[in-house]
Amino acid sequence: MNNIINYNNDKGLLAYIEFLAASSLKPRNGNTDPVFDFEDALDQTEMAQLAVDELKKIPEVNALFQERWLPEPFNLDDLAKLPEGTLGHIYAREMKARGFDPYFYKKVPVVDDISYLKMLWRSTHDIYHVVTGFDTDGIGEIGLQAFVLAQTPIPISVMLVSFGMVIISLYQPTKFNDLMREIARGYRLGSHTPGKLISQKWDQFWNVQLSEIRARLGIITVDQDLPAIA
């Protein structure tokens, strides 16, 4: 077996270990900075570059990379005024109900494809929750990451799914079966959703009914209708 350990992968592994320690030993109090710091530490790994290379093979995603598209700034109060059932209205309602800041994420300058991918992912992440229906609690978050992982090879999703399994098994073992069911559901749903979430210009859909968006993407929201993974 070839030895795949190298300096950059070592950095990724060390960052993962530090992330595990920081997340399990210190209260988070809603602070998401450790997640973004961990994601930044993965920049120089081979996995990060492979993810970009694979994503750019998808024409719609490659077009976003070329354009460097990111969502236009928005205000939750304005979105809340859109008709009921639209993506914007539901998104604003959910964010307000949870007290979430839509600009919570750590910003980085877009200087290359890897930094662009991070900002694309960070600036649209909460929209994914609304569109897929995954909760924003710990287990729901990992379920969403499994959905994303099935659709696109984003390094942070790989790490967060494995992180969730480690942390829940050690600190909340009674919830492990719930976590695995949500991971399985997320991966199945992502595998059978033909429309790539990462290829969408979401700020063009604020005034579109959420049901119509799900239909366009081919999201099957009733679990029993999902075929088994081959």
Side-chain angles (χ1 to χ4, degrees), residues 186-213:
Y187 199 85
R188 284 180 69 203
L189 184 59
S191 297
H192 294 289
T193 298
K196 303 293 186 185
L197 268 63
I198 201 168
S199 70
Q200 311 303 313
K201 289 186 173 181
W202 290 106
D203 56 5
Q204 297 181 1
F205 301 145
W206 289 133
N207 203 29
V208 179
Q209 290 289 310
L210 180 57
S211 58
E212 181 181 339
I213 294 171

mmCIF file of all heavy atoms in Angstrom, residues 186-213:
data_model
loop_
_atom_site.group_PDB
_atom_site.id
_atom_site.type_symbol
_atom_site.label_atom_id
_atom_site.label_comp_id
_atom_site.label_asym_id
_atom_site.label_seq_id
_atom_site.Cartn_x
_atom_site.Cartn_y
_atom_site.Cartn_z
ATOM 1 N N GLY A 186 -29.932 11.748 4.584
ATOM 2 C CA GLY A 186 -29.318 12.830 3.825
ATOM 3 C C GLY A 186 -28.573 12.330 2.612
ATOM 4 O O GLY A 186 -28.680 12.898 1.518
ATOM 5 N N TYR A 187 -27.827 11.241 2.786
ATOM 6 C CA TYR A 187 -27.044 10.727 1.658
ATOM 7 C C TYR A 187 -27.957 10.169 0.570
ATOM 8 O O TYR A 187 -27.716 10.379 -0.624
ATOM 9 C CB TYR A 187 -26.072 9.650 2.141
ATOM 10 C CG TYR A 187 -24.954 9.402 1.162
ATOM 11 C CD1 TYR A 187 -23.806 10.184 1.177
ATOM 12 C CD2 TYR A 187 -25.070 8.422 0.183
ATOM 13 C CE1 TYR A 187 -22.792 9.985 0.263
ATOM 14 C CE2 TYR A 187 -24.059 8.208 -0.739
ATOM 15 C CZ TYR A 187 -22.920 8.999 -0.696
ATOM 16 O OH TYR A 187 -21.923 8.798 -1.611
ATOM 17 N N ARG A 188 -29.012 9.484 0.986
ATOM 18 C CA ARG A 188 -29.966 8.966 -0.005
ATOM 19 C C ARG A 188 -30.622 10.106 -0.768
ATOM 20 O O ARG A 188 -30.726 10.083 -1.991
ATOM 21 C CB ARG A 188 -31.045 8.116 0.676
ATOM 22 C CG ARG A 188 -30.625 6.740 1.112
ATOM 23 C CD ARG A 188 -31.789 6.026 1.777
ATOM 24 N NE ARG A 188 -32.835 5.688 0.829
ATOM 25 C CZ ARG A 188 -34.106 5.479 1.171
ATOM 26 N NH1 ARG A 188 -34.505 5.646 2.406
ATOM 27 N NH2 ARG A 188 -34.991 5.130 0.255
ATOM 28 N N LEU A 189 -31.087 11.111 -0.029
ATOM 29 C CA LEU A 189 -31.773 12.235 -0.665
ATOM 30 C C LEU A 189 -30.831 12.975 -1.610
ATOM 31 O O LEU A 189 -31.201 13.318 -2.737
ATOM 32 C CB LEU A 189 -32.315 13.180 0.400
ATOM 33 C CG LEU A 189 -33.146 14.376 -0.083
ATOM 34 C CD1 LEU A 189 -34.358 13.890 -0.860
ATOM 35 C CD2 LEU A 189 -33.587 15.232 1.102
ATOM 36 N N GLY A 190 -29.590 13.223 -1.167
ATOM 37 C CA GLY A 190 -28.627 13.894 -2.036
ATOM 38 C C GLY A 190 -28.287 13.091 -3.270
ATOM 39 O O GLY A 190 -28.140 13.637 -4.371
ATOM 40 N N SER A 191 -28.193 11.769 -3.102
ATOM 41 C CA SER A 191 -27.848 10.893 -4.223
ATOM 42 C C SER A 191 -28.927 10.886 -5.290
ATOM 43 O O SER A 191 -28.639 10.684 -6.476
ATOM 44 C CB SER A 191 -27.619 9.457 -3.725
ATOM 45 O OG SER A 191 -26.528 9.397 -2.840
ATOM 46 N N HIS A 192 -30.176 11.093 -4.882
ATOM 47 C CA HIS A 192 -31.292 11.008 -5.820
ATOM 48 C C HIS A 192 -31.884 12.362 -6.176
ATOM 49 O O HIS A 192 -32.979 12.441 -6.734
ATOM 50 C CB HIS A 192 -32.369 10.086 -5.247
ATOM 51 C CG HIS A 192 -31.929 8.662 -5.124
ATOM 52 N ND1 HIS A 192 -31.732 7.841 -6.214
ATOM 53 C CD2 HIS A 192 -31.598 7.923 -4.034
ATOM 54 C CE1 HIS A 192 -31.329 6.656 -5.805
ATOM 55 N NE2 HIS A 192 -31.232 6.679 -4.489
ATOM 56 N N THR A 193 -31.161 13.440 -5.847
ATOM 57 C CA THR A 193 -31.577 14.776 -6.260
ATOM 58 C C THR A 193 -30.709 15.209 -7.434
ATOM 59 O O THR A 193 -29.522 15.514 -7.261
ATOM 60 C CB THR A 193 -31.440 15.781 -5.100
ATOM 61 O OG1 THR A 193 -32.295 15.389 -4.019
ATOM 62 C CG2 THR A 193 -31.812 17.181 -5.550
ATOM 63 N N PRO A 194 -31.249 15.217 -8.653
ATOM 64 C CA PRO A 194 -30.421 15.523 -9.828
ATOM 65 C C PRO A 194 -29.929 16.969 -9.880
ATOM 66 O O PRO A 194 -28.846 17.240 -10.401
ATOM 67 C CB PRO A 194 -31.350 15.205 -11.010
ATOM 68 C CG PRO A 194 -32.738 15.299 -10.442
ATOM 69 C CD PRO A 194 -32.628 14.854 -9.018
ATOM 70 N N GLY A 195 -30.714 17.912 -9.378
ATOM 71 C CA GLY A 195 -30.288 19.308 -9.412
ATOM 72 C C GLY A 195 -29.268 19.596 -8.325
ATOM 73 O O GLY A 195 -29.518 19.348 -7.143
ATOM 74 N N LYS A 196 -28.100 20.081 -8.717
ATOM 75 C CA LYS A 196 -27.041 20.364 -7.750
ATOM 76 C C LYS A 196 -27.335 21.672 -7.016
ATOM 77 O O LYS A 196 -27.485 22.719 -7.641
ATOM 78 C CB LYS A 196 -25.693 20.487 -8.462
ATOM 79 C CG LYS A 196 -25.285 19.268 -9.279
ATOM 80 C CD LYS A 196 -25.010 18.063 -8.415
ATOM 81 C CE LYS A 196 -24.455 16.908 -9.243
ATOM 82 N NZ LYS A 196 -24.279 15.687 -8.443
ATOM 83 N N LEU A 197 -27.396 21.597 -5.703
ATOM 84 C CA LEU A 197 -27.663 22.813 -4.937
ATOM 85 C C LEU A 197 -26.578 23.852 -5.153
ATOM 86 O O LEU A 197 -26.859 25.053 -5.214
ATOM 87 C CB LEU A 197 -27.783 22.478 -3.444
ATOM 88 C CG LEU A 197 -29.195 22.185 -2.933
ATOM 89 C CD1 LEU A 197 -29.786 20.939 -3.614
ATOM 90 C CD2 LEU A 197 -29.203 22.008 -1.425
ATOM 91 N N ILE A 198 -25.337 23.405 -5.290
ATOM 92 C CA ILE A 198 -24.230 24.354 -5.386
ATOM 93 C C ILE A 198 -24.187 25.068 -6.729
ATOM 94 O O ILE A 198 -23.481 26.070 -6.890
ATOM 95 C CB ILE A 198 -22.888 23.637 -5.118
ATOM 96 C CG1 ILE A 198 -21.822 24.660 -4.714
ATOM 97 C CG2 ILE A 198 -22.452 22.812 -6.317
ATOM 98 C CD1 ILE A 198 -20.568 24.048 -4.164
ATOM 99 N N SER A 199 -24.969 24.612 -7.695
ATOM 100 C CA SER A 199 -24.934 25.240 -9.024
ATOM 101 C C SER A 199 -25.992 26.323 -9.189
ATOM 102 O O SER A 199 -26.079 26.951 -10.248
ATOM 103 C CB SER A 199 -25.132 24.176 -10.111
ATOM 104 O OG SER A 199 -26.462 23.670 -10.100
ATOM 105 N N GLN A 200 -26.804 26.568 -8.140
ATOM 106 C CA GLN A 200 -27.922 27.502 -8.264
ATOM 107 C C GLN A 200 -27.522 28.923 -7.864
ATOM 108 O O GLN A 200 -26.773 29.125 -6.913
ATOM 109 C CB GLN A 200 -29.085 27.049 -7.374
ATOM 110 C CG GLN A 200 -29.474 25.594 -7.519
ATOM 111 C CD GLN A 200 -29.842 25.217 -8.941
ATOM 112 O OE1 GLN A 200 -30.615 25.926 -9.597
ATOM 113 N NE2 GLN A 200 -29.316 24.095 -9.424
ATOM 114 N N LYS A 201 -28.071 29.897 -8.596
ATOM 115 C CA LYS A 201 -27.940 31.298 -8.195
ATOM 116 C C LYS A 201 -29.158 31.626 -7.328
ATOM 117 O O LYS A 201 -30.189 32.101 -7.799
ATOM 118 C CB LYS A 201 -27.872 32.208 -9.424
ATOM 119 C CG LYS A 201 -26.572 32.085 -10.208
ATOM 120 C CD LYS A 201 -26.505 33.118 -11.321
ATOM 121 C CE LYS A 201 -25.143 33.108 -12.001
ATOM 122 N NZ LYS A 201 -25.047 34.126 -13.082
ATOM 123 N N TRP A 202 -29.008 31.404 -6.037
ATOM 124 C CA TRP A 202 -30.157 31.394 -5.140
ATOM 125 C C TRP A 202 -30.846 32.745 -5.021
ATOM 126 O O TRP A 202 -32.058 32.809 -4.774
ATOM 127 C CB TRP A 202 -29.725 30.886 -3.762
ATOM 128 C CG TRP A 202 -29.389 29.436 -3.789
ATOM 129 C CD1 TRP A 202 -28.151 28.866 -3.730
ATOM 130 C CD2 TRP A 202 -30.310 28.345 -3.922
ATOM 131 N NE1 TRP A 202 -28.238 27.497 -3.807
ATOM 132 C CE2 TRP A 202 -29.553 27.147 -3.928
ATOM 133 C CE3 TRP A 202 -31.700 28.263 -4.031
ATOM 134 C CZ2 TRP A 202 -30.144 25.894 -4.036
ATOM 135 C CZ3 TRP A 202 -32.290 27.014 -4.137
ATOM 136 C CH2 TRP A 202 -31.515 25.848 -4.143
ATOM 137 N N ASP A 203 -30.122 33.824 -5.197
ATOM 138 C CA ASP A 203 -30.784 35.126 -5.050
ATOM 139 C C ASP A 203 -31.735 35.423 -6.209
ATOM 140 O O ASP A 203 -32.471 36.411 -6.173
ATOM 141 C CB ASP A 203 -29.764 36.248 -4.869
ATOM 142 C CG ASP A 203 -28.748 36.336 -5.991
ATOM 143 O OD1 ASP A 203 -28.880 35.586 -6.987
ATOM 144 O OD2 ASP A 203 -27.798 37.135 -5.872
ATOM 145 N N GLN A 204 -31.755 34.575 -7.225
ATOM 146 C CA GLN A 204 -32.723 34.716 -8.304
ATOM 147 C C GLN A 204 -34.038 34.004 -8.004
ATOM 148 O O GLN A 204 -34.997 34.103 -8.769
ATOM 149 C CB GLN A 204 -32.129 34.171 -9.613
ATOM 150 C CG GLN A 204 -30.904 34.927 -10.088
ATOM 151 C CD GLN A 204 -30.354 34.397 -11.401
ATOM 152 O OE1 GLN A 204 -30.901 33.455 -11.992
ATOM 153 N NE2 GLN A 204 -29.260 34.978 -11.869
ATOM 154 N N PHE A 205 -34.057 33.257 -6.891
ATOM 155 C CA PHE A 205 -35.228 32.440 -6.563
ATOM 156 C C PHE A 205 -36.002 32.939 -5.348
ATOM 157 O O PHE A 205 -36.923 32.264 -4.895
ATOM 158 C CB PHE A 205 -34.797 30.989 -6.291
ATOM 159 C CG PHE A 205 -34.092 30.334 -7.434
ATOM 160 C CD1 PHE A 205 -33.064 29.433 -7.205
ATOM 161 C CD2 PHE A 205 -34.438 30.611 -8.735
ATOM 162 C CE1 PHE A 205 -32.408 28.818 -8.241
ATOM 163 C CE2 PHE A 205 -33.783 30.012 -9.791
ATOM 164 C CZ PHE A 205 -32.767 29.102 -9.558
ATOM 165 N N TRP A 206 -35.643 34.102 -4.797
ATOM 166 C CA TRP A 206 -36.317 34.554 -3.591
ATOM 167 C C TRP A 206 -37.835 34.614 -3.764
ATOM 168 O O TRP A 206 -38.590 34.296 -2.839
ATOM 169 C CB TRP A 206 -35.815 35.935 -3.179
ATOM 170 C CG TRP A 206 -34.430 36.023 -2.633
ATOM 171 C CD1 TRP A 206 -33.471 36.935 -2.985
ATOM 172 C CD2 TRP A 206 -33.829 35.224 -1.594
ATOM 173 N NE1 TRP A 206 -32.321 36.748 -2.245
ATOM 174 C CE2 TRP A 206 -32.517 35.701 -1.386
ATOM 175 C CE3 TRP A 206 -34.276 34.140 -0.837
ATOM 176 C CZ2 TRP A 206 -31.652 35.138 -0.445
ATOM 177 C CZ3 TRP A 206 -33.420 33.559 0.094
ATOM 178 C CH2 TRP A 206 -32.129 34.072 0.286
ATOM 179 N N ASN A 207 -38.300 35.009 -4.941
ATOM 180 C CA ASN A 207 -39.733 35.208 -5.176
ATOM 181 C C ASN A 207 -40.396 33.988 -5.809
ATOM 182 O O ASN A 207 -41.528 34.065 -6.294
ATOM 183 C CB ASN A 207 -39.956 36.429 -6.070
ATOM 184 C CG ASN A 207 -41.347 37.023 -5.901
ATOM 185 O OD1 ASN A 207 -41.958 36.920 -4.837
ATOM 186 N ND2 ASN A 207 -41.864 37.629 -6.963
ATOM 187 N N VAL A 208 -39.699 32.855 -5.805
ATOM 188 C CA VAL A 208 -40.229 31.612 -6.382
ATOM 189 C C VAL A 208 -40.747 30.724 -5.253
ATOM 190 O O VAL A 208 -40.132 30.633 -4.188
ATOM 191 C CB VAL A 208 -39.141 30.878 -7.185
ATOM 192 C CG1 VAL A 208 -39.686 29.572 -7.764
ATOM 193 C CG2 VAL A 208 -38.600 31.775 -8.298
ATOM 194 N N GLN A 209 -41.877 30.068 -5.481
ATOM 195 C CA GLN A 209 -42.435 29.165 -4.480
ATOM 196 C C GLN A 209 -41.436 28.037 -4.163
ATOM 197 O O GLN A 209 -40.830 27.459 -5.066
ATOM 198 C CB GLN A 209 -43.740 28.548 -4.983
ATOM 199 C CG GLN A 209 -44.895 29.535 -5.062
ATOM 200 C CD GLN A 209 -45.394 29.941 -3.678
ATOM 201 O OE1 GLN A 209 -45.657 29.096 -2.814
ATOM 202 N NE2 GLN A 209 -45.542 31.252 -3.473
ATOM 203 N N LEU A 210 -41.280 27.760 -2.872
ATOM 204 C CA LEU A 210 -40.342 26.711 -2.453
ATOM 205 C C LEU A 210 -40.717 25.366 -3.069
ATOM 206 O O LEU A 210 -39.835 24.603 -3.481
ATOM 207 C CB LEU A 210 -40.328 26.609 -0.927
ATOM 208 C CG LEU A 210 -39.402 25.551 -0.323
ATOM 209 C CD1 LEU A 210 -37.962 25.750 -0.765
ATOM 210 C CD2 LEU A 210 -39.510 25.570 1.197
ATOM 211 N N SER A 211 -42.004 25.083 -3.175
ATOM 212 C CA SER A 211 -42.437 23.817 -3.773
ATOM 213 C C SER A 211 -41.977 23.713 -5.224
ATOM 214 O O SER A 211 -41.594 22.630 -5.695
ATOM 215 C CB SER A 211 -43.952 23.682 -3.686
ATOM 216 O OG SER A 211 -44.597 24.779 -4.331
ATOM 217 N N GLU A 212 -42.007 24.838 -5.936
ATOM 218 C CA GLU A 212 -41.566 24.844 -7.334
ATOM 219 C C GLU A 212 -40.056 24.627 -7.426
ATOM 220 O O GLU A 212 -39.578 23.905 -8.318
ATOM 221 C CB GLU A 212 -41.939 26.167 -7.994
ATOM 222 C CG GLU A 212 -41.534 26.261 -9.457
ATOM 223 C CD GLU A 212 -41.897 27.580 -10.100
ATOM 224 O OE1 GLU A 212 -42.796 28.271 -9.584
ATOM 225 O OE2 GLU A 212 -41.267 27.934 -11.126
ATOM 226 N N ILE A 213 -39.302 25.232 -6.517
ATOM 227 C CA ILE A 213 -37.846 25.054 -6.510
ATOM 228 C C ILE A 213 -37.499 23.600 -6.257
ATOM 229 O O ILE A 213 -36.642 23.013 -6.947
ATOM 230 C CB ILE A 213 -37.205 25.954 -5.446
ATOM 231 C CG1 ILE A 213 -37.385 27.425 -5.816
ATOM 232 C CG2 ILE A 213 -35.716 25.620 -5.270
ATOM 233 C CD1 ILE A 213 -36.978 28.390 -4.718
#
